[in-house]
């Protein structure tokens, strides 16, 4: 288990339906690794097990050399895994800065320290000018970046991103891609679920493809996206 994240033979069933079936992979430190596949392929269920929102029926998950399967979500966050959610749900009545401060309190001792962390992160996410704006008033692109900012505030070693570019225009997608590249250059490891293939190919060094909960391909984007099984099961029916 040399990877920062090691997932080994993980399974999850719901009323007999296999949502995730014998999935194994490793994410190396400093890597950007993508998980793709059709809707219902098991991608978010996989994320939920890694982040502690669900417990795997079998298999193991190790992070930074230690087992994390079975731990609560807050315990996993403490160990250094931050995540975003496919449907963004900031605290709507709080300001942009206050939303990020809440995340920063996980590893800071005072509100003032958390506020300093939050302002640094908002600068990275191009949200400084809107830090006093109420979260409910943000546009979708700004809410997506706020979701990333809230996760970053927990000081993760590994950032799980669940479709942060869904619903964005190409220019907005390119903006987030540039931000994620900058974050990765600082040493942050990123594991992302994404349907926007222009973002996947621009970011990921390796891709895992799921179909009906099982792995059908893994490797570099150049290799995986040419495989017949991937084209027939996913790329042929998804908008590139």
């Amino acid at each position: 288990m040399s990877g920062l994240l090691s997932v080994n033979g993980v399974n999850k069933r719901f009323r007999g339906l296999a949502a995730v079936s014998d999935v194994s992979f490793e994410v190396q430190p400093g890597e950007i690794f993508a998980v793709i596949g059709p809707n219902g392929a098991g991608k978010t269920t996989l994320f939920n097990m890694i982040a502690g929102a669900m417990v795997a029926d079998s298999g193991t998950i190790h992070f930074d050399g230690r087992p994390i399967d079975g731990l609560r979500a807050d315990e996993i966050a403490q160990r250094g895994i931050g995540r975003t959610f496919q449907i963004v749900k900031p605290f709507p009545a709080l300001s942009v800065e206050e939303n990020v401060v809440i995340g920063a309190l996980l590893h800071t001792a005072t509100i003032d320290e958390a506020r300093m962390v939050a302002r640094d992160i908002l600068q990275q996410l191009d949200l400084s000018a809107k830090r006093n704006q109420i979260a409910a008033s943000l546009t979708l692109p700004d809410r997506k970046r706020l979701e990333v900012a809230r996760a970053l505030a927990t000081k993760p070693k590994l950032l799980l991103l669940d479709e942060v570019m869904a619903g964005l225009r190409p220019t907005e997608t390119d903006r987030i891609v540039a931000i994620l590249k900058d974050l990765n250059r600082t040493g942050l490891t990123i594991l992302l679920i994404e349907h926007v293939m222009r973002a996947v190919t621009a970011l990921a060094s390796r891709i895992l493809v799921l179909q009906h909960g099982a792995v059908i391909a893994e490797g570099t984007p150049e290799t995986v996206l040419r495989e017949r099984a991937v084209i027939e099961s996913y790329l042929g029916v998804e908008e590139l």
Side-chain angles (χ1 to χ4, degrees), residues 1-4 6 8 26 60-62 65-66:
M1 293 176 292
S2 59
L4 179 65
S6 297
N8 300 283
E26 286 194 347
T60 61
I61 304 172
H62 285 71
R66 303 166 64 190

Side-chain angles (χ1 to χ4, degrees), residues 86-234:
Q86 186 175 348
I87 300 174
V88 294
K89 291 183 178 179
F91 297 106
L94 299 183
S95 71
V96 168
E97 183 176 292
E98 288 167 339
N99 267 270
V100 183
V101 164
I102 290 171
L105 286 170
L106 181 66
H107 290 296
T108 55
T110 66
I111 289 288
D112 287 342
E113 184 183 353
R115 197 175 301 281
M116 290 177 63
V117 170
R119 290 181 180 179
D120 286 343
I121 291 170
L122 291 173
Q123 181 72 34
Q124 290 177 291
L125 273 294
D126 295 334
L127 286 169
S128 290
K130 298 179 180 180
R131 65 185 179 88
N132 293 320
Q133 193 168 324
I134 297 301
S137 68
L138 294 178
T139 62
L140 176 62
D142 287 343
R143 291 201 306 275
K144 292 277 190 177
R145 283 183 288 122
L146 176 57
E147 184 77 358
V148 177
R150 295 201 308 160
L152 284 175
T154 66
K155 297 184 180 179
K157 298 176 185 176
L158 172 65
L159 180 62
L160 309 181
L161 300 176
D162 195 348
E163 296 192 32
V164 294
M165 285 162 271
L168 300 185
R169 297 175 181 173
T171 54
E172 296 159 347
T173 296
D174 291 344
R175 186 180 189 185
I176 291 189
V177 165
I179 289 170
L180 295 179
K181 284 183 176 180
D182 286 343
L183 292 170
N184 180 245
R185 289 188 193 103
T186 69
L188 179 65
T189 305
I190 298 173
L191 174 59
L192 63 98
I193 293 171
E194 194 52 68
H195 282 294
V196 181
M197 295 310 298
R198 62 183 284 151
V200 171
T201 56
L203 288 167
S205 60
R206 288 190 298 138
I207 297 174
L208 182 83
V209 188
L210 295 180
Q211 182 186 21
H212 303 309
V215 176
I216 62 169
E218 181 183 353
T220 65
E222 295 80 8
T223 301
V224 166
L225 298 181
R226 291 187 181 134
E227 292 196 21
R228 178 175 294 276
V230 176
I231 294 170
E232 291 178 350
S233 69
Y234 180 55

